Amino acid sequence: RMSRRAQQLRDHDTNPCVAETDASRRCMDDNNYNKDMCTAYFLKYKSCRKFWHDIMMQRRRNGVKPEMPSAEERKKMLETMG
């Protein structure tokens, strides 16, 4: 059974970067943990985290709850951005 923290990290509503996390982990597995082979995946993950962190901080400043948009809300936001 997963720990509560691990469950939160796998929850698409609280972690907007589950796909990027999985992709970089898979890359590491596939490339014998050679980080140099996975730089592109790490950069995608990092930009995902930064993007949603900035959204979360903006919502916090504006008093919007919840601070992290749900998975469905995030999908709609990304669609409107193109």
Side-chain angles (χ1 to χ4, degrees):
R1 194 165 166 232
M2 276 197 282
S3 71
R4 201 177 159 135
R5 178 76 182 130
Q7 284 175 334
Q8 280 181 323
L9 292 173
R10 299 298 311 153
D11 182 351
H12 289 272
D13 279 330
T14 55
N15 180 0
C17 302
V18 173
E20 289 78 2
T21 303
D22 291 347
S24 54
R25 189 169 292 131
R26 212 171 16 259
C27 179
M28 289 291 282
D29 289 343
D30 294 347
N31 290 288
N32 214 12
Y33 293 85
N34 179 351
K35 289 182 180 173
D36 297 336
M37 302 292 286
C38 302
T39 306
Y41 292 97
F42 299 150
L43 290 174
K44 273 186 194 166
Y45 171 79
K46 194 173 174 183
S47 64
C48 177
R49 296 295 304 177
K50 182 182 179 344
F51 177 81
W52 290 112
H53 180 263
D54 291 347
I55 298 273
M56 193 173 78
M57 296 310 288
Q58 186 179 349
R59 286 169 65 105
R60 184 178 292 167
R61 277 192 299 274
N62 296 338
V64 177
K65 295 281 183 190
E67 290 165 358
M68 179 56 71
S70 69
E72 190 58 36
E73 246 186 298
R74 290 192 310 267
K75 186 178 172 207
K76 287 177 184 163
M77 290 168 78
L78 291 173
E79 284 169 358
T80 61
M81 293 171 76

